[in-house]
Amino acid sequence: MNQQQKPYVLPELPYDFSALEPVISGKIMTLHYTKHHKTYVDNLNKALEQYAEAEAKRDLAAMIALQQAIKFNGGGNVNHSIFWTNLAPVSQGGGTPPTGALAEAINAEFGSLDKLIEVMSAKSVAIQGSGWGWLGFNKAKGRLEIATCANQDPLSTVGLTPLLGIDVWEHAYYLQYENVRPEYVKQIWKIINWKNVSDRYTAAKE
């Protein structure tokens, strides 16, 4: 990483580790944030530093070889940075249904918020292995879309702007829900920060 590039850092959580209980335990949040997300950030910075060195040497083969590490760890940082803000304690509005333009768009595309939750939950639960379920905005079509991404692939890889993500990697829920992913996905809607999703929707349309 050259001197002009600052390393990526963990974003600050907008709430305490235990603030999302009982939906997500403080122990899971602590491990997820301080271990998993931090590892993505550290490995991203390492890969970018190696990439800068390879670029300075015009070592194209090395630059190509580093692409996967940048995609995986960079995606992990991007996805989690969005995920933390997509959630909020109930006392801070978590679970409060969306209003305004986002609510109108959801009703227009899916018929109701309940239908969106039903479809997105089903797709998220059905992901094979690790990945993410997303509500995204398709700028070209001007509409909301639900998509899934494997591993830490960011939603931008399928041409959508991320609005709301559900992490279905086992580290996001296994300590609390064990292998019952559907129950974790069912419960997480109780702490979705629809205000944050709405703000992302407004920004995506600009």
Side-chain angles (χ1 to χ4, degrees), residues 12-26:
E12 288 190 20
L13 278 180
Y15 37 74
D16 294 333
F17 289 130
S18 61
L20 302 179
E21 292 183 345
V23 177
I24 300 178
S25 72

Side-chain angles (χ1 to χ4, degrees), residues 182-196:
E183 184 61 22
Y184 157 72
V185 173
K186 176 183 177 181
Q187 295 299 323
I188 204 170
W189 295 102
K190 296 178 180 178
I191 52 171
I192 295 300
N193 184 353
W194 287 106
K195 172 66 167 58
N196 177 263

Side-chain angles (χ1 to χ4, degrees), residues 14-81:
Y15 37 74
D16 294 333
F17 289 130
S18 61
L20 302 179
E21 292 183 345
V23 177
I24 300 178
S25 72
K27 184 176 183 180
I28 286 179
M29 284 298 302
T30 301
L31 289 171
H32 200 167
Y33 176 80
T34 66
K35 302 298 184 183
H36 293 280
H37 190 176
K38 185 177 186 301
T39 297
Y40 296 131
V41 172
D42 291 346
N43 287 339
L44 171 62
N45 287 328
K46 180 180 178 181
L48 289 174
E49 185 173 341
Q50 292 172 336
Y51 187 91
E53 292 172 357
E55 188 175 32
K57 297 175 183 176
R58 296 184 61 81
D59 187 344
L60 184 58
M63 292 163 64
I64 293 171
L66 287 162
Q67 290 296 319
Q68 183 57 36
I70 294 171
K71 178 182 179 183
F72 180 79
N73 293 293
N77 183 39
V78 168
N79 293 340
H80 285 88
S81 296

Side-chain angles (χ1 to χ4, degrees), residues 132-153:
W132 291 74
W134 288 100
L135 174 66
F137 182 67
N138 186 323
K139 288 190 175 184
K141 297 181 179 179
R143 57 183 287 188
L144 298 174
E145 292 185 13
I146 292 172
T148 60
C149 292
N151 300 312
Q152 292 296 352
D153 290 0

